[in-house]
Amino acid sequence: MSDAVKVGFVPFSAAARGTLVVFCDEALKFGSVASKALGDAAGTIKRAAAATRFKGKSGSALDLLAPEGLKVGRLIVVGAGKATDLKEFDVLKLGGAVAGKIGAADTAVTVIAELPGGAMNADQAASIASGILLRAYKFDRYKTKKKDDDQGPVNIGLSLAVADVAATKKAYASAGAVVDGVVLARELVNEPPNVLYPDEFAKRAAQLKKLGVEVQILDVPAMTRLKMGALLGVSQGSAHDGRTVIMRWNGGKKGEQPIAFVGKGVCFDTGGISIKPSASMEDMKGDMGGAACVVGLMHALAARKAKVNVVGAIGLVENMPDGNAQRPGDIVTSMSGQTIEIINTDAEGRLVLADVLWYVAQKHKPKFMVDLATLTGAIMVALGTDHAGLFSNNDELAQRLTDVGLSTGEKVWRMPLGPEYDKQIDSQFADMKNTGSRNGGSITAAQFLQRFVDGTPWAHLDIAGTAMGAPKTDINRSWGSGYGVRLLNALVAEYYEAKK
Ligand code: MN
Ligand code: ZN
């Protein structure tokens, strides 16, 4: 949880302190609560707007210090665009814009949750709070000195003035659970690899027990008994043993078939013997972004007591060069019995997922599986960093992911699968090899994974471009983005959760 900003909810009648934030539309109109709070300052605002050509465009802001006619020390007018028909994601971004503007503000901030057309409803007000907290999140645990010019929010007590405090608190109980899940995923991605190796990652996942999640950790002997030869081959070169963690949230009907989410958790990827170049290798601490998302998602679902049975499974390894490391040319036997010739030890994520997908398909027989993996650089060549690559053997699941991608702003773009790609991963010595050619590299990776889902409806999200290092957005300034938590939380809420 970000400790920089704390959000509380107060009634509209509460007096503003410190900095006042209000929303206006493109006609520079305010709602009745804001208008009343602004009182005599209307003329000042008009003059300031004219002087700075402020037109109320969505996310833009007018910043007035010690405005004439007001008791507060600072007034920020945030544009809400046309302010009609705002979708949940629009409102979330408005919250982000607020957090972006308050900066190193006064320690007290009051935000009036009202649009020119009337008070925000409880869900919208909760989205404003969520947007503020997502934007304010910073990873600065390892900075021992604060810079003087650090403009980040400093312990701001933010009061969100709302029409109905009780209803907003109730809405925020759910929305805040998702914020916490996103923040948890970001934390895991941002942590350095000397701190967050497989065993430590597993311990952090085990903290979900506090929320009622069942957590089972498979260590090397347990995975050896299960014959997870593909995953174990990757981890054998590291001083840190691999782990597989199975999390279960049973919020649905007893015995009801679960849905499943599977994450690649390569805590550090040097490439192994097929070692990567040095430039930007440090970014490979984020090669566990899929696993981080699954843990963040399980947190969100459990904390908001989602009415659904869910399995989260993550394969945690470190891919290192070593005397005991796996070699190109090695042939490993996966848990499925299928053999894999290792061509490039840097194509390790699919080897980890092969065994975890197979395990989940066999052991939990889910309705569907969605895996997330920072799998290929090729997906960034294809899609840049604004869409995750989506591959699926099921059109309904693919369409649902596409729809929630648009509504949450965590967008996906469907890529093809097809048997014609299989010949790229045919091996002359084993059932398959772990890499194809340079062309279609994200597709052959997905084609490889598909061999381990055993016919289960499945979707694969290649998040190499979206999980970390993506451009900063209205609701994220952190390197680790927490991508996927809001997307998959929405998938569950929209389509798979028993309605209240
Ligand atoms: Mn790799
Ligand atoms: Zn990798």
Side-chain angles (χ1 to χ4, degrees):
M1 204 56 237
S2 166
D3 57 7
V5 178
K6 287 212 164 35
V7 175
F9 302 105
V10 299
F12 276 150
S13 56
R17 298 177 304 128
T19 295
L20 172 64
V21 181
V22 293
F23 297 101
C24 74
D25 65 12
E26 290 177 352
L28 304 193
K29 286 233 153 38
F30 298 94
S32 59
V33 178
S35 294
K36 200 168 150 225
L38 296 174
D40 299 339
T44 311
I45 294 167
K46 265 214 179 88
R47 283 202 309 281
T52 57
R53 282 188 281 172
F54 173 75
K55 301 243 162 38
K57 258 185 61 199
S58 186
S60 67
L62 188 64
D63 196 348
L64 287 88
L65 301 178
E68 203 184 321
L70 282 185
K71 288 214 174 73
V72 293
R74 185 179 176 201
L75 169 69
I76 302 175
V77 179
V78 174
K82 297 207 180 343
T84 52
D85 200 24
L86 292 180
K87 304 272 190 300
E88 190 189 331
F89 185 51
D90 300 323
V91 180
L92 198 70
K93 284 194 287 187
L94 272 188
V98 170
K101 297 304 171 197
I102 53 184
D106 195 293
T107 53
V109 177
T110 301
V111 180
I112 299 181
E114 183 197 42
L115 294 166
M120 291 186 188
N121 64 35
D123 286 334
Q124 289 177 318
S127 285
I128 291 286
S130 298
I132 288 169
L133 291 167
L134 288 172
R135 168 72 172 248
Y137 167 79
K138 274 208 296 200
F139 184 77
D140 55 7
R141 177 167 307 140
Y142 298 96
K143 285 188 184 283
T144 62
K145 296 184 186 74
K146 288 256 181 273
K147 288 197 204 115
D148 290 344
D149 61 352
D150 189 342
Q151 290 297 303
V154 218
N155 300 322
I156 292 174
L158 191 145
S159 304
L160 194 61
V162 298
D164 185 338
V165 173
T168 307
K169 278 188 175 160
K170 192 157 171 259
Y172 191 70
S174 268
V178 180
V179 170
D180 290 349
V182 175
V183 166
L184 173 56
R186 289 177 182 173
E187 288 281 308
L188 291 168
V189 174
N190 286 329
E191 280 283 19
N194 59 331
V195 171
L196 196 76
Y197 45 87
D199 185 45
E200 172 63 18
F201 196 133
K203 287 192 175 117
R204 298 212 186 172
Q207 289 177 11
L208 294 178
K209 285 180 189 168
K210 287 184 210 147
L211 297 173
V213 177
E214 291 171 10
V215 181
Q216 182 192 8
I217 298 175
L218 306 176
D219 59 9
V220 171
M223 292 190 286
T224 305
R225 281 194 296 277
L226 288 165
K227 302 193 165 66
M228 290 184 160
L231 183 152
L232 290 167
V234 177
S235 86
Q236 73 188 30
S238 172
H240 293 296
D241 283 341
R243 297 280 186 275
T244 290
V245 181
I246 312 295
M247 297 155 272
R248 294 206 62 167
W249 167 249
N250 302 311
K253 287 203 193 75
K254 213 173 169 219
E256 193 181 33
Q257 198 183 11
I259 59 178
F261 299 96
V262 175
K264 167 183 171 183
V266 177
C267 294
F268 194 75
D269 182 14
T270 62
I273 296 298
S274 313
I275 198 162
K276 291 174 183 292
S278 302
S280 303
M281 201 202 269
E282 68 277 10
D283 288 351
M284 286 299 106
K285 71 172 184 175
D287 206 19
M288 31 52 74
C293 173
V294 171
V295 173
L297 175 67
M298 295 303 286
H299 178 105
L301 296 175
R304 68 175 185 78
K305 300 194 171 26
K307 294 189 188 332
V308 61
N309 295 337
V310 191
V311 174
I314 54 178
L316 304 170
V317 300
E318 192 178 56
N319 188 22
M320 300 291 274
D322 178 74
N324 192 43
Q326 149 166 291
R327 293 153 288 254
D330 282 5
I331 294 178
V332 295
T333 304
S334 66
M335 187 185 171
S336 73
Q338 301 175 90
T339 57
I340 305 159
E341 181 190 8
I342 308 302
I343 300 297
N344 186 322
T345 63
D346 196 10
E348 83 299 337
R350 67 201 68 182
L351 298 167
V352 172
L353 288 172
D355 280 337
V356 182
L357 285 167
W358 185 264
Y359 176 88
V360 171
Q362 303 305 309
K363 173 98 181 163
H364 297 287
K365 307 234 175 303
K367 271 183 213 160
F368 69 79
M369 301 191 281
V370 175
D371 80 72
L372 302 103
T374 49
L375 206 61
T376 67
I379 203 66
M380 283 185 269
V381 176
L383 298 177
T385 55
D386 291 310
H387 287 84
L390 161 65
F391 301 81
S392 184
N393 61 5
N394 185 283
D395 290 341
E396 182 183 66
L397 181 57
Q399 188 58 53
R400 289 174 172 182
L401 282 162
T402 302
D403 290 347
V404 291
L406 290 172
S407 67
T408 58
E410 294 194 329
K411 291 178 285 189
V412 302
W413 195 263
R414 193 171 182 185
M415 303 277 288
L417 289 166
E420 57 276 22
Y421 294 97
D422 277 333
K423 54 180 173 298
Q424 278 202 37
I425 50 172
D426 285 344
S427 159
Q428 58 173 325
F429 299 114
D431 295 336
M432 68 193 89
K433 54 186 186 181
N434 78 326
T435 48
S437 74
R438 235 170 66 86
N439 295 335
S442 303
I443 305 172
T444 48
Q447 204 67 28
F448 180 99
L449 295 179
Q450 191 174 17
R451 297 179 177 205
F452 298 90
V453 304
D454 202 23
T456 309
W458 153 83
H460 157 58
L461 297 174
D462 194 332
I463 59 171
T466 52
M468 72 259 190
K472 311 275 185 272
T473 68
D474 290 331
I475 55 167
N476 180 45
R477 315 307 280 178
S478 151
W479 184 78
S481 66
Y483 176 93
V485 175
R486 292 190 307 106
L487 174 81
L488 298 176
N489 174 70
L491 178 79
V492 173
E494 289 276 319
Y495 300 107
Y496 300 100
E497 211 172 321
K499 302 288 177 230
K500 277 152 237 163

